[in-house]
Amino acid sequence: MKKNKNLIILIILFIIIDLLFVYENFIRVEGNITFELNGNEEINIYQDTPYNDDGYLLENDFNKDLNKYVKTENNVDTKNIGTYEVIYNLKYKTKKLTLTRKVNVIH
């Protein structure tokens, strides 16, 4: 009788652990993320002209605002002729996505 009781308890524990694992995996699956540049990947602007980046589009199919997970690097210097990059890095859970815009400051 004691062996049967221990076996039943063990089976119940395995079922609970299995259910917790399935539930944990279910809530981690959050769908697709769309992360793309607004405008062109490469643009030319004239020296000493103010530069305002067009930004990015960030959408997902789980209705969560992910903008706080995007870090922007923008070293565009319109006073100096050259090629610069605006880089957007999205890091959310296991997803790591990067967008890069090339900005050419010309004379």
Side-chain angles (χ1 to χ4, degrees):
M1 184 73 164
K2 181 135 174 121
K3 286 183 182 181
N4 287 342
K5 185 176 179 182
N6 288 341
L7 182 61
I8 291 171
I9 291 172
L10 188 60
I11 291 171
I12 291 172
L13 284 173
F14 278 122
I15 291 172
I16 291 171
I17 290 169
D18 189 49
L19 287 174
L20 288 174
F21 178 75
V22 169
Y23 178 73
E24 181 182 349
N25 284 334
F26 177 74
I27 63 173
R28 284 187 181 171
V29 175
E30 294 187 327
N32 294 320
I33 295 175
T34 300
F35 188 45
E36 59 189 45
L37 289 172
N38 289 330
N40 296 323
E41 289 183 41
E42 183 172 352
I43 63 169
N44 295 323
I45 61 169
Y46 290 104
Q47 185 178 15
D48 295 321
T49 301
Y51 173 69
N52 293 312
D53 193 73
D54 289 334
Y56 57 87
L57 170 70
L58 178 56
E59 296 177 338
N60 56 73
D61 57 2
F62 45 95
N63 295 325
K64 185 167 183 176
D65 182 7
L66 300 180
N67 287 296
K68 65 183 175 184
Y69 299 101
V70 177
K71 303 288 185 225
T72 303
E73 299 173 35
N74 181 345
N75 67 353
V76 177
D77 178 4
T78 61
K79 293 182 182 195
N80 294 301
I81 294 173
T83 300
Y84 302 91
E85 291 184 331
V86 178
I87 301 170
Y88 298 100
N89 290 301
L90 168 63
K91 292 181 183 177
Y92 176 70
K93 294 194 177 186
T94 60
K95 300 217 185 247
K96 293 181 181 178
L97 303 170
T98 300
L99 300 174
T100 304
R101 184 183 327 273
K102 190 175 177 183
V103 180
N104 301 306
V105 178
I106 60 175
H107 183 71

